[in-house]
Amino acid sequence: MTAVVAILNKTGMALAADSAATITNGNNSQSKVFNTANKVFTLSKHHPVAIMIYNNSEFLSTPWELIIKLYRKGLGKKSFRTVTEYSEDFRKFLLKNQLLNFKKKEREFLENNLYRIVQNIIEDLRNYLIDQNDLKALSLLHNFEKYENPPQDEIDIRKQIADRLEGMLDQNIKDFNGCPKSEGLSEFDLEIFNKNNRDWIHHCITEMLKHSTPSLIYSDNIEGLKLKITDLFISIVQSKINLLGATGLVFVGYGSDQIYPALYSIETDGIVNGALRYSVNQDIVISDHHPCNLVPFAQTDVMNTFIRGMNPDIHNIIKDSLDKSLSSTLDTYNSTIVKNTEGKIDETLLETLKQDFKENIMSSMQNDIESILQNSHIQPTLQALRFLSKEDLAELAESLIYLTFLKRRTTSSLESVGGAIDVAIISKGDGFIWKKRKHYFEDKLNQHFFQNYFN
């Protein structure tokens, strides 16, 4: 995990990132934190543009640091009009670079995510059977014995399990089809994807079920289930939902035609159909109408509390608590009304009135809280940011990362923010300037590094 932040106003922008990298084993039961990760990089040696990374430090098993430095070397003195265009060129580089050759790793990326999706589906089915206390079905689900002529009661139970799984798959497909689509797959060609992958996907599903829930392999509807799992997989792949290994990339700085700083952030995790799978998170350009911004990434709770004046978790707790209290109170009122009118009142009407009343109260409360936060905290903070110098922006950015570190240290949660804080300033006139930066080597012993930097 990590914490990074960018603060922008018309004078320039400040970037800050911690150095923590959290390593977990396969089942996430154990974690270890290393405080030596680099998360801020210059994207060009000659122009004021940089990139920050958060979450996964690798892309398809290749370190982002290596990828970024290969891109920077190939970019040379070339520049682009906007920060967004730098992002577009970087995405093309990921697909076209022959040395990295990421397209060859597409099948592995898809298989890893298919395996996780099938695992989650089976886990959901298992939890449902546990909730229903259906021990017979639960036992059969994980029965690895194969019967040539199974008894009729087992055939019936298999059918019930398959029917339940089919219903869960239908609901999941409906939910994911309603999700926003990944911008990187806007021209996703389902026909080509099916042609290239459907047989292989069906084979993978069969092998996965054999090793987890073999009883499903012998159900009468196994082919239909494989089709639905495939449809669910395609729905998830096309959506904005992050898959395994997702990384946030934050492009910051100035294009050649930009007088004020800009920020463009995406999250990406792999390649599908020869295209980069990514979604856009932020697209910010400082202007006269938008003179400043403070944008946190990854672990944002402490920084959002600073900006908004209220911890987002507390806000959600208040909202949920009020919703439950209103529902309980109104249910009591409705029951009393029905009892005192001897059932002569329309209960459907009462339920409609209850929902309307509750929604009005919740909406009014939300608007009041948001108005107070805007007037008392958010707007005054942004107004101050507007006039801060570059040095003050850098100090604030570093302080926000340090506050996040202190919060993690003083609670029982994993210290997933820590280590040295790298701080940089980017301005149109001075370019990219390191204010604080950790080195893995001593400067005086490696003068050749600095002499060869622009070569």
Side-chain angles (χ1 to χ4, degrees):
M1 297 296 287
T2 186
V4 299
V5 65
I7 310 177
L8 307 80
N9 67 16
K10 289 184 177 182
T11 63
M13 66 188 307
L15 317 173
D18 74 321
S19 300
T22 306
I23 310 298
T24 58
N25 63 7
N27 56 14
N28 292 328
S29 61
Q30 293 182 335
S31 299
K32 186 173 180 62
V33 178
F34 296 93
N35 290 319
T36 54
N38 292 313
K39 302 170 187 178
V40 181
F41 305 91
T42 54
L43 199 59
S44 168
K45 294 182 179 182
H46 303 276
H47 303 288
V49 63
I51 185 172
M52 299 190 292
I53 64 172
Y54 62 91
N55 291 344
N56 200 340
S57 63
E58 296 182 339
F59 180 69
L60 300 179
S61 301
T62 302
W64 277 111
E65 181 171 356
L66 173 62
I67 297 170
I68 292 166
K69 290 180 178 178
L70 282 174
Y71 172 80
R72 187 172 67 193
K73 184 176 181 180
L75 184 66
K77 294 184 178 181
K78 185 179 179 180
S79 65
F80 293 95
R81 294 169 50 253
T82 65
V83 169
T84 302
E85 290 182 9
Y86 276 101
S87 170
E88 292 168 356
D89 189 65
F90 186 81
R91 296 199 300 268
K92 291 176 184 176
F93 169 82
L94 291 177
L95 295 174
K96 293 181 179 180
N97 185 272
Q98 295 298 316
L99 184 61
L100 297 171
N101 203 4
F102 286 129
K103 288 186 178 180
K104 278 194 172 181
K105 298 184 178 182
E106 177 177 341
R107 183 64 62 88
E108 180 185 354
F109 166 73
L110 292 173
E111 184 174 354
N112 289 338
N113 283 283
L114 176 60
Y115 178 75
R116 186 182 71 160
I117 290 167
V118 172
Q119 270 191 321
N120 290 342
I121 292 167
I122 299 305
E123 186 64 23
D124 288 344
L125 178 60
R126 180 175 174 274
N127 290 336
Y128 171 80
L129 295 176
I130 291 174
D131 291 342
Q132 297 298 310
N133 199 28
D134 194 340
L135 301 182
K136 222 172 195 181
L138 191 62
S139 175
L140 182 60
L141 182 67
H142 298 289
N143 188 351
F144 283 82
E145 294 183 19
K146 180 180 178 181
Y147 297 104
E148 296 295 333
N149 297 299
Q152 186 60 44
D153 64 329
E154 285 199 8
I155 294 175
D156 293 339
I157 292 174
R158 281 178 183 169
K159 186 177 185 310
Q160 291 171 9
I161 293 173
D163 289 345
R164 177 59 194 171
L165 179 58
E166 186 174 0
M168 294 169 66
L169 289 169
D170 286 337
Q171 184 59 51
N172 282 332
I173 290 169
K174 180 181 177 182
D175 292 343
F176 282 105
N177 281 340
C179 291
K181 303 302 181 185
S182 167
E183 286 91 341
L185 304 180
S186 58
E187 298 179 5
F188 183 83
D189 192 320
L190 182 59
E191 186 175 339
I192 293 177
F193 185 83
N194 283 334
K195 180 181 177 181
N196 293 340
N197 297 290
R198 186 170 285 274
D199 291 343
W200 163 77
I201 289 174
H202 282 199
H203 172 74
C204 287
I205 293 171
T206 301
E207 292 302 311
M208 291 170 189
L209 293 178
K210 276 182 182 178
H211 292 91
S212 59
T213 55
S215 61
L216 287 174
I217 295 295
Y218 308 114
S219 68
D220 294 337
N221 191 28
I222 181 58
E223 293 304 319
L225 289 175
K226 286 195 285 188
L227 282 172
K228 287 188 180 293
I229 292 174
T230 303
D231 289 342
L232 174 61
F233 178 58
I234 291 172
S235 296
I236 293 174
V237 165
Q238 289 185 91
S239 74
K240 269 192 169 186
I241 304 298
N242 282 340
L243 300 180
L244 289 173
T247 299
L249 302 176
V250 187
F251 299 86
V252 291
Y254 298 78
S256 58
D257 289 357
Q258 292 176 309
I259 191 171
Y260 298 136
L263 179 151
Y264 187 85
S265 71
I266 65 171
E267 290 189 352
T268 183
D269 45 35
I271 292 174
V272 178
N273 261 12
L276 186 70
R277 188 179 183 276
Y278 73 92
S279 57
V280 178
N281 284 350
Q282 301 271 0
D283 186 2
I284 297 169
V285 179
I286 296 301
S287 66
D288 292 340
H289 301 292
H290 186 190
C292 62
N293 211 323
L294 192 159
V295 194
F297 296 93
Q299 298 188 57
T300 62
D301 55 326
V302 174
M303 291 182 272
N304 279 331
T305 300
F306 172 83
I307 299 167
R308 296 181 58 80
M310 174 183 272
N311 188 304
D313 292 338
I314 299 299
H315 184 271
N316 291 332
I317 289 170
I318 293 173
K319 181 181 174 182
D320 292 342
S321 177
L322 180 61
D323 183 79
K324 291 176 183 177
S325 297
L326 283 173
S327 295
S328 176
T329 302
L330 293 173
D331 283 341
T332 302
Y333 286 166
N334 284 359
S335 297
T336 304
I337 292 171
V338 171
K339 182 179 179 181
N340 290 336
T341 57
E342 299 179 349
K344 294 179 182 179
I345 194 166
D346 187 345
E347 293 188 34
T348 304
L349 175 62
L350 280 179
E351 182 63 26
T352 301
L353 291 173
K354 182 192 96 170
Q355 292 298 330
D356 289 344
F357 181 75
K358 187 176 79 169
E359 288 175 8
N360 288 335
I361 293 293
M362 292 293 294
S363 176
S364 177
M365 184 209 73
Q366 287 281 92
N367 291 337
D368 287 346
I369 290 178
E370 191 61 31
S371 177
I372 292 171
L373 293 178
Q374 283 286 342
N375 295 328
S376 301
H377 296 279
I378 299 173
Q379 289 305 321
T381 300
L382 292 177
Q383 187 67 16
L385 291 180
R386 180 179 178 181
F387 299 105
L388 290 182
S389 66
K390 296 187 292 291
E391 296 86 343
D392 290 336
L393 292 178
E395 185 176 345
L396 176 58
E398 181 181 5
S399 298
L400 289 173
I401 300 297
Y402 185 68
L403 282 173
T404 305
F405 157 71
L406 284 180
K407 178 67 173 177
R408 298 294 177 268
R409 167 153 286 192
T410 56
T411 60
S412 57
S413 60
L414 184 70
E415 285 188 33
S416 51
V417 174
I421 300 174
D422 290 331
V423 185
I425 299 171
I426 308 178
S427 62
K428 187 70 172 179
D430 298 334
F432 185 98
I433 302 293
W434 285 108
K435 190 169 187 293
K436 286 189 178 180
R437 186 191 188 190
K438 61 182 177 294
H439 273 300
Y440 64 89
F441 57 80
E442 289 190 33
D443 297 355
K444 64 182 180 180
L445 298 178
N446 295 276
Q447 290 301 313
H448 62 281
F449 172 83
F450 301 99
Q451 292 168 0
N452 297 330
Y453 183 77
F454 287 101
N455 293 337

